[in-house]
Amino acid sequence: TIMTNLILPFSCFYSSLTHLELTENTLHSKSGAWISAFPPGFTSLVSLDFEDLEHEVDFHALESLITRCTGLKTLKLNRSVTIGHLRHILSKNPNLSVLGTGSFSPSMSREEFLDACNVFRGCKKLHTLSGFWVVAPGYLSVINPIGANLVAVNLSYSPICDGELADLVSQCHHICKLW
């Protein structure tokens, strides 16, 4: 078990930390404040994975952290991160290669949907997707612009219908792993 009060000293003393994977852990922080424990000069993360955490995350602190960590290649988000948040995150860091998406559930306007498609289109290096904790009907198509780049897609948590799966797979010409 990782306690929130351990994150602060951990992040301050290990400025060369490159991978933080909070999987199979229990983090006692319902507020999501643990992400704000990283000091402003902390920039070394290459991989951040908190997809298994059940609680909210402080989105502004998350956005600040991933904006500072310009070498970030892997980001796996939990279900509390919405597609709206994801749009902002990807616009700040389009060089991700592995992404755990969060939730595709809140309603978006047509303009926001098209903006999300454009943001994904800008992620030229993205080749692996997972997450999709909650997917509202029609929202999976937001990733179609990067389908040709994808080699692995994990839909194991996704409540999607056959038609959406067929549409996605038809866009993924280089897919090697689909589960």
Side-chain angles (χ1 to χ4, degrees):
T1 301
I2 296 178
M3 304 298 288
T4 301
N5 61 351
L6 293 178
I7 296 286
L8 181 59
F10 180 71
S11 64
C12 291
F13 291 117
Y14 298 102
S15 61
S16 61
L17 176 70
T18 58
H19 293 75
L20 178 59
E21 297 180 1
L22 299 174
T23 58
E24 300 179 18
N25 291 298
T26 302
L27 187 65
H28 299 287
S29 173
K30 292 184 180 183
S31 69
W34 64 270
I35 198 85
S36 62
F38 294 94
F42 183 81
T43 61
S44 59
L45 277 182
V46 174
S47 177
L48 174 60
D49 179 351
F50 62 94
E51 68 182 355
D52 289 343
L53 295 183
E54 294 182 16
H55 302 293
E56 299 284 321
V57 65
D58 179 337
F59 175 69
H60 297 295
L62 173 64
E63 185 177 30
S64 175
L65 178 62
I66 67 161
T67 299
R68 292 191 315 265
C69 295
T70 57
L72 191 67
K73 300 297 178 210
T74 299
L75 179 62
K76 293 187 177 182
L77 306 166
N78 71 359
R79 67 183 72 227
S80 74
V81 179
T82 67
I83 192 168
H85 291 140
L86 185 60
R87 284 181 18 235
H88 292 288
I89 289 169
L90 292 178
S91 68
K92 305 277 187 196
N93 195 334
N95 294 319
L96 291 172
S97 55
V98 177
L99 176 65
T101 63
S103 294
F104 279 30
S105 62
S107 60
M108 286 192 295
S109 69
R110 176 87 173 131
E111 182 179 300
E112 290 168 325
F113 182 84
L114 293 174
D115 181 52
C117 290
N118 285 332
V119 168
F120 268 100
R121 186 175 287 112
C123 297
K124 305 286 187 207
K125 297 179 181 182
L126 195 55
H127 61 72
T128 301
L129 287 176
S130 64
F132 303 104
W133 297 102
V134 177
V135 181
Y139 278 53
L140 194 58
S141 63
V142 78
I143 65 170
N144 285 353
I146 58 158
N149 301 342
L150 296 176
V151 296
V153 179
N154 178 351
L155 297 170
S156 60
Y157 298 111
S158 307
I160 60 172
C161 66
D162 294 345
E164 287 180 305
L165 180 59
D167 288 344
L168 174 63
V169 172
S170 72
Q171 302 294 319
C172 302
H173 308 292
H174 301 290
I175 196 85
C176 296
K177 186 175 182 181
L178 177 65
W179 72 106

